[in-house]
């Protein structure tokens, strides 16, 4: 009786049956991610982080409805109350001072409807952090609109924003 012992896998597979050879071929043809499951988890985590950074976070920033210019934050709000529309513009100063200033000392707020100015007023920007300034308007609710269009101007800064009316 002749016993042959093969020490390497290649030598054993050469004398093995065709079924065994096919099983080993399937085992050795694993993809890159099946051989490295940690890398697969890492790539999935990176995709989730990119999803948050590119889609979800900018969407929530647009919902906040505030305008940031230099070291000021301007927030507008409109509410329907007793057949009137009350509009409030809040100006607050951020902690970090701006490197370059594009605004002057006053902010001019104009309420626009059909490309015409309905009301206009101006306010001085707050000087210290934590000091908030408010500018309010009262409009009769004869306009059946869903939002109020405001134009903010100061120095070289100019921006038009639409504020949804809360009913």
């Amino acid at each position: 009786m002749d016993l042959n012992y093969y020490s390497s896998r290649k030598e054993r597979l050469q004398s093995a049956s065709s079924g065994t050879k096919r099983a080993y071929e399937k085992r050795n043809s694993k993809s890159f991610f099946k051989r490295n499951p940690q890398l697969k988890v890492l790539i999935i985590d990176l995709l989730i982080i990119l999803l948050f950074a590119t889609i979800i976070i900018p969407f929530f920033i647009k919902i906040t409805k505030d305008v940031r210019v230099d070291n000021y934050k301007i927030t507008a709000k409109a509410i329907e109350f007793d057949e009137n529309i009350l509009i409030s513009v809040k100006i607050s100063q951020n902690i970090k001072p701006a490197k370059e200033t594009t605004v002057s000392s006053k902010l001019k707020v104009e309420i626009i409807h059909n490309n015409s100015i309905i009301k206009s007023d101006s306010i001085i920007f707050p000087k210290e952090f934590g000091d908030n300034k408010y500018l309010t308007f009262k409009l009769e609710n004869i306009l059946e609109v869903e939002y109020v269009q405001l134009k903010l101007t100061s120095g070289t800064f100019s921006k038009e924003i639409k504020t949804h009316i809360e009913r």
Side-chain angles (χ1 to χ4, degrees):
M1 187 161 133
D2 188 24
L3 294 175
N4 292 329
Y5 178 74
Y6 298 103
S7 61
S8 74
R9 181 176 288 164
K10 287 182 182 179
E11 291 176 5
R12 287 194 310 256
L13 284 176
Q14 286 175 356
S15 64
S17 67
S18 62
T20 306
K21 287 180 183 178
R22 277 182 292 192
Y24 270 96
E25 286 173 5
K26 287 181 183 177
R27 185 185 297 177
N28 290 333
S29 67
K30 282 186 179 178
S31 70
F32 181 72
F33 290 115
K34 284 188 180 178
R35 284 184 277 153
N36 299 313
Q38 301 88 357
L39 187 62
K40 183 168 116 178
V41 171
L42 178 71
I43 290 176
I44 291 171
D45 288 343
L46 285 175
L47 289 175
I48 291 171
I49 291 170
L50 285 175
L51 176 77
F52 273 102
T54 59
I55 297 171
I56 297 172
I57 291 175
F59 177 72
F60 284 117
I61 288 174
K62 288 181 184 177
I63 289 177
T64 59
K65 300 174 188 163
D66 61 349
V67 177
R68 294 176 190 258
V69 58
D70 290 350
N71 59 334
Y72 300 104
K73 181 172 99 171
I74 304 166
T75 308
K77 190 173 187 178
I79 299 172
E80 182 181 7
F81 182 75
D82 283 343
E83 298 178 4
N84 293 318
I85 298 174
L86 305 175
I87 303 165
S88 173
V89 178
K90 176 183 173 185
I91 304 150
S92 57
Q93 189 173 16
N94 295 336
I95 297 172
K96 216 171 24 171
K99 295 177 183 173
E100 297 179 14
T101 57
T102 58
V103 296
S104 64
S105 63
K106 284 188 173 186
L107 174 71
K108 184 176 181 182
V109 179
E110 299 171 339
I111 300 173
I112 300 172
H113 181 66
N114 292 335
N115 294 328
S116 63
I117 299 171
I118 297 174
K119 285 193 177 183
S120 176
D121 201 358
S122 61
I123 189 168
I124 297 173
F125 281 107
K127 302 287 183 200
E128 298 177 8
F129 171 71
D131 186 20
N132 298 326
K133 299 275 183 153
Y134 294 92
L135 189 61
T136 57
F137 297 96
K138 180 180 176 182
L139 299 175
E140 292 183 16
N141 196 8
I142 56 172
L143 308 171
E144 293 297 325
V145 292
E146 293 185 23
Y147 62 88
V148 175
Q149 187 171 358
L150 302 173
K151 183 176 182 182
L152 309 170
T153 54
S154 177
T156 59
F157 170 75
S158 179
K159 184 162 186 167
E160 290 188 11
I161 59 172
K162 294 180 180 179
T163 303
H164 183 71
I165 300 172
E166 297 177 13
R167 300 186 189 268

